[in-house]
Every structure is written in C-alpha cells, then in structure tokens.
Amino acid sequence: MGSLAESPKANVLIVGSGGVGTMAAYSLEKGGKARVTAVLRSNFAAVEKNGFQINSLDHGNIQGWRPSEIMNSIPDVSKQHNIRPYDYVVVTTKNIADVSPGVSEIIAPAISPGHTTIALVQNGLNIERRVIEAFPSNPVISGVSFIGATEGPKGTIKHDDHDVLIVGAFKNPNISPDVSETSAKRFVELYGSCAGIDCMYEPDVKFTRWRKLLYNSSYNTVATILHMDTSRMRVSEHIIDDLIRPIMMEIRAAAAAAGVNLPLELIDKMIFADTFEAFFKPSMLQDIERGNYIEFENIVGEPLREAERLGVPAPTLRVVYGMLRGIQWKVREAKGLVKVPTSPGGLKYGGANVKRNVT
Ligand SMILES: CC(C)(CO)C(=O)C(=O)O
C-alpha cells in the first residue's frame, strides 16, 4: 500500500492496464523515480497470480513482472487514509465520450484536489474539457502516444512498436500555466528516465493533438468501417485516394481554421507511417473486433464539430462519423443496452401510422 511515509519517488496511479497502460507502468517503474499502482479490471486475477508476461521491442522479454502494487478498483483517497495522495493519475483507458461513466467519474475517488496531476494518455481532441471542469484545481496534462502495444491473452502484452510519448500541459484557466507546465516536465522526467523509450516535452499541445488526428481520424475510422488493416488499404490505392487522403485534408483544413498549421508533407508522412509488413490494425479496429465500444466521438466527432463551427467543409468526416455512430449503436445493442421492438408501433421512422408508400 502506498505508505504515508515520505518517499522520494512520485506516487503514480495508472488507470487502464491494457497494452499502453502496462508499458507506461513498466517505464515509470524502471525509470526508478516513480512508485506505480496499477488499477486492473478483467486481467486482475491473471496478473495477481502470474504477473505480466511482456514481449517488448524496447525492453525485451520479461516474465512475471508486477508494478509496486495492483488494485482491482479505483482507490478512494478520502476514505483510505493509509494512501499517500497520488502525485499523478495516468489515464490510459479508451476515451468513450458517449458512454457513462466518463473518465472524470471513474478517476474521481483517486484525485486529491489541488495536488494530483491528471495525465490523459489518450487519443482525440478536447478530451481535457470535462476533466478540467470536474477538477478545476488540478493540472491536466496531455500524453500523445505512438506506442504499439496490445494485450492478449489476459496479462500478456505484445509491445511491437517503439514507445514514443509526447507530453505537454493542457490550459487550465483556473491555475497558473507554470504549475501545469512544471508538472508536465516532471512527468517527462519520470517516464523518460527509463532506457529505450522516447518521452519528450512539447508545449504546443494543440499542434500535437491535431497532428495525431491526421492518422486516427482517417486510418482508425476507415479500418473500423471496412475491417481492414492499413497495408491492404495501401494495396487497394483507391481507399487512400477516396477516403484516407480526403479525411486527412479535411483535418488539415479544420486545424488551420483553428490556428494550427499542419505542413502538407505530413499527409504523405502519415499515409506511409506504418511499415507495410506490419499489416497494422489501428486500435479502433482492434476494439470493434473485441466487441468493445469505439472512441469515435473524440477522434471524429470533435474535429468534425470544430470544422463545422469554423465553416470548414468536412463531407467525408461527416459520412464516416455517421457510420461509426451506427457501429457504436450496434455495440450497444450487442451489450443489451438497446432493445429493438418486435413491432413498429411508436417508431419515429416508419411507425404504426405510416403506410408503405413505395410502389
Ligand atoms: C499510434 C497508434 C497508431 C498505435 O498506438 C494509434 O494511435 C492507434 O492505433 O490508435
């Protein structure tokens, strides 16, 4: 248990211990400057028994590894008085904005107001808004990750793409920018002390997030709709020409209207980002293949809303958004959260009073 006794190490809680979260826990512990508690859910029993089995491009083969502590639920720091306040709560779960509970509700018990820095290592745009609203006195920092790391079976991690983490401070209007920036830089020191990985501080968080969207808004989404890896899309050529490149251009135009200049060269760089041999499946495709919710609101919904608010045409994003919303609806149905009626009475579209009028 994180003791109240003075410890020179930062006290870190990681929420979400799949591929990305486990590798973050590993790097933070190996760097020697953080004591990590990981909150595990479906993999708790497996990890409690055998630890993590990690096959890592950056760190090699590690069997039976455990962070300092594991828990199977979020600790409540206001009630569990033997826990030292967390200096950082690192969120590596998916950010599913349209499904409750949201990130803020999940992490709330672990946050000490005015003390804990909340690090959002997640994809998407405007993910900090609700978190800053919920925790106005806490620094909130951004982690844009380029790692390739997946879990399966439970407790077994395959880390096959180099760990690159770009960190910066979100603007929290309630606290001094210096406090948030210092906290972001300290996080880089904690994470970056681990050998073999790249963790850097980048103050321009808006730029970093829009740049990553070039990839996530296009490849993640089209891969999910078509159930296709990025190499096959490149072989087809027309998927790149009809969908991937147009989406990237719409993101670039929306970013420009929002004051972020994404150089044109970045488009080709992102199109060819994955090595061909990887037959890479972006995380959203992996999520849907597992029957999980997809994080389409922050990856497509938010940039689309920004584009429309700023008067930038984004027709491809709009169609892709509608399709992903439909896919999410099907996930809800599969989880039993949508009940499809057996007769049309009361339906808005084609309800009881609507006669079939197509002849
Ligand atoms: C960087 C990359 C491609 C892998 O982590 C990603 O962001 C994703 O698949 O969502």
Side-chain angles (χ1 to χ4, degrees):
M1 188 62 60
S3 93
L4 280 171
E6 225 11 78
S7 159
K9 290 190 178 184
N11 199 24
V12 177
L13 183 76
I14 297 212
V15 180
S17 218
V20 177
T22 303
M23 295 322 300
Y26 184 83
S27 292
L28 284 160
E29 289 268 11
K30 280 287 148 186
K33 296 182 177 172
R35 178 192 187 278
V36 175
T37 302
V39 180
L40 314 180
R41 286 176 29 169
S42 60
N43 55 1
F44 182 82
V47 175
E48 189 180 40
K49 192 161 170 239
N50 300 317
F52 283 104
Q53 324 312 317
I54 301 173
N55 189 346
S56 164
L57 176 84
D58 294 336
H59 310 291
N61 221 320
I62 307 133
Q63 299 298 310
W65 181 79
R66 289 178 175 83
S68 292
E69 194 172 349
I70 58 168
M71 291 184 175
N72 58 4
S73 61
I74 304 282
D76 188 335
V77 290
S78 69
K79 296 200 180 111
Q80 289 165 261
H81 298 293
N82 53 345
I83 298 181
R84 188 157 65 96
Y86 291 107
D87 301 312
Y88 290 89
V89 167
V90 182
V91 188
T92 54
T93 58
K94 292 294 149 128
N95 196 315
I96 316 287
D98 54 322
V99 172
S100 289
V103 168
S104 306
E105 291 154 86
I106 294 171
I107 64 174
I111 306 298
S112 301
H115 177 84
T116 310
T117 291
I118 301 160
L120 300 177
V121 182
Q122 296 177 308
N123 285 328
L125 199 64
N126 299 334
I127 56 172
E128 75 284 10
R129 286 191 180 163
R130 289 184 192 174
V131 178
I132 291 174
E133 228 172 83
F135 309 105
S137 64
N138 294 77
V140 181
I141 65 175
S142 159
V144 170
S145 171
F146 291 86
I147 196 171
T150 44
E151 185 186 29
K154 304 262 174 252
T156 300
I157 309 292
K158 186 172 165 220
H159 169 199
D160 53 7
D161 212 349
H162 180 51
D163 188 358
V164 179
L165 183 66
I166 305 178
V167 177
F170 286 116
K171 284 193 178 45
N172 180 344
N174 315 296
I175 56 181
S176 144
D178 288 354
V179 172
S180 300
E181 279 161 27
T182 305
S183 192
K185 285 179 186 160
R186 181 161 178 242
F187 188 73
V188 171
E189 194 196 323
L190 303 180
Y191 200 110
S193 291
C194 179
I197 57 103
D198 283 304
C199 180
M200 48 274 220
Y201 176 71
E202 167 53 67
D204 194 345
V205 169
K206 263 178 95 177
F207 175 80
T208 325
R209 293 220 153 247
W210 276 102
R211 183 180 56 185
K212 178 94 191 281
L213 277 179
L214 286 175
Y215 184 98
N216 292 137
S217 305
S218 56
Y219 271 127
N220 288 44
T221 61
V222 174
T224 304
I225 293 166
L226 296 178
H227 284 270
M228 207 175 199
D229 61 65
T230 60
S231 303
R232 285 184 167 78
M233 289 187 215
R234 277 161 58 185
V235 173
S236 80
E237 294 184 17
H238 58 82
I239 296 173
I240 304 295
D241 292 342
D242 294 343
L243 296 163
I244 301 297
R245 194 180 292 277
I247 293 174
M248 288 188 182
M249 293 305 282
E250 289 172 20
I251 290 288
R252 182 169 179 264
V260 175
N261 173 34
L262 299 174
L264 193 56
E265 311 86 80
L266 274 179
I267 305 283
D268 275 326
K269 206 171 160 200
M270 288 293 178
I271 288 175
F272 303 112
D274 298 326
T275 54
F276 181 79
E277 296 76 13
F279 294 93
F280 184 70
K281 290 185 177 184
S283 60
M284 193 188 276
L285 172 56
Q286 295 181 36
D287 290 337
I288 206 70
E289 285 183 346
R290 292 178 176 157
N292 292 338
Y293 288 119
I294 52 171
E295 47 182 4
F296 75 103
E297 281 295 356
N298 294 319
I299 285 180
V300 187
E302 281 303 300
L304 174 64
R305 285 184 279 274
E306 289 282 306
E308 292 181 345
R309 185 176 65 81
L310 296 163
V312 175
T316 325
L317 274 177
R318 164 95 5 236
V319 170
V320 162
Y321 175 73
M323 290 193 170
L324 292 169
R325 217 171 157 194
I327 290 173
Q328 189 84 314
W329 190 93
K330 285 170 62 184
V331 177
R332 283 178 195 274
E333 187 190 4
K335 288 181 185 285
L337 298 173
V338 175
K339 286 271 169 282
V340 179
T342 48
S343 69
L347 283 188
K348 188 171 160 204
Y349 291 105
N353 300 326
V354 179
K355 292 217 172 70
R356 187 170 170 81
N357 58 6
V358 181
T359 50

